[in-house]
Amino acid sequence: MELKDQVALITGGTAGIGLETARLFVREGASVVIAGRNPERGAKAVAELADGPGSARFAAADLGDLEDVRRLAEDAGPVDILVNNASLFPVATTVDQDVETFQRLFDTNVRGTFFLTAALAPAMLAKGAGSIVNVSTMAAVMGVPGASVYSATKAALASFTRTWAAEFSPSGVRVNSVAPGPTLTDGVVVEWGDGVAELGKSIPLRRTAGPAEIAESILFLASARSSFVTGANLAADGGATAI
Ligand SMILES: NC(=O)c1ccc[n+]([C@@H]2O[C@H](COP(=O)([O-])OP(=O)(O)OC[C@H]3O[C@@H](n4cnc5c(N)ncnc54)[C@H](OP(=O)(O)O)[C@@H]3O)[C@@H](O)[C@H]2O)c1
């Protein structure tokens, strides 16, 4: 088991890519805290993960609320692995973008992720070990119509990855990103509809990913298999950003 005795926090661990990541982590022996807003979804996910050999529990938190972020860090920490996966991804063209949603996207995807990491990093640094994985997107480096604000928040995350690697890795804490391409999750279908499948047809692998495929990349970066990798961005995008 690759994550035996490791404690991991996965934000947005109750659905999609986060839930598949939690499944792999539990399989590898980790004690996993999955965070999300909806307790019913959380309870259902915990029940799915109950077979071990690791364990899972749910912590309710809205990453867009700084008080929730502070409480989540206190409840989940100290951790060995932090997967910053939760995010909002509503579609809006630039000319149709409303200010409230713009703000909510930055509060959740950028501010919440930043202050959660800032709260959990000190214990990792004191221990001299740890792995942080930011879930970005191919859209951080590609122009995708309707995704201007979302993509900008994820470009911010990619920037955090580089800065945090520079700040934390001298103390033994690795920080990396995974940048998925179109991945068939319930959440993305609600927001993007057929657009996800269409995007999948246009990339070199000519299909969408399953969330479990992205989870494998996250496990790689979270585990000791990537022990000499820090500050990197792993494009799990079916070749989208290669062309
Ligand atoms: N699917 C794709 O095509 C794709 C492509 C590139 C990148 N990504 C990235 O991959 C990550 C996961 O995406 P996904 O498709 O798996 O999403 P998903 O199926 O919609 O799941 C999102 C998860 O995040 C939680 N969440 C959402 N807003 C939250 C908030 N404000 N506070 C706390 N938790 C919150 C959700 O639970 P609650 O709703 O209960 O809070 C859920 O557990 C995201 O960062 C996304 O940007 C996805």
Side-chain angles (χ1 to χ4, degrees), residues 10-19 35-39 41-42 58 60-65 68 72 84-89 104 108-109 135-139 150 154 157 178-189 191-192 196 199 208-209 211 214 218 236:
I10 304 173
T11 66
T14 61
I17 291 168
L19 176 57
R37 292 164 300 179
N38 182 334
R41 215 178 195 186
F58 171 68
D62 181 346
L63 267 260
D65 179 324
D68 274 19
L72 176 62
N84 287 314
N85 166 73
S87 92
L88 302 174
F89 35 78
R104 208 156 50 86
T108 305
N109 301 3
V135 180
S136 177
T137 170
M138 69 178 191
Y150 167 67
K154 292 296 190 168
L157 235 61
V178 172
T183 306
L184 217 50
T185 64
D186 292 345
V188 90
V189 169
E191 296 290 350
W192 286 79
V196 196
L199 211 51
T208 53
I214 308 301
I218 296 171

Side-chain angles (χ1 to χ4, degrees), residues 196-234:
V196 196
E198 284 308 311
L199 211 51
K201 285 181 197 156
S202 70
I203 64 178
L205 280 180
R206 296 284 187 268
R207 65 175 178 86
T208 53
E213 293 181 279
I214 308 301
E216 292 286 353
S217 295
I218 296 171
L219 172 60
F220 169 70
L221 290 172
S223 73
R225 284 185 185 228
S226 58
S227 55
F228 202 58
V229 182
T230 194
N233 180 53
L234 174 49

Side-chain angles (χ1 to χ4, degrees), residues 7 78-83 117 120-132 168 171-174:
V7 176
V79 301
D80 302 289
I81 298 167
L82 169 62
V83 181
T117 304
L120 289 168
M124 290 178 164
L125 297 171
K127 191 174 178 181
S131 178
I132 299 170
F168 302 160
S171 301
V173 178
R174 297 182 302 105

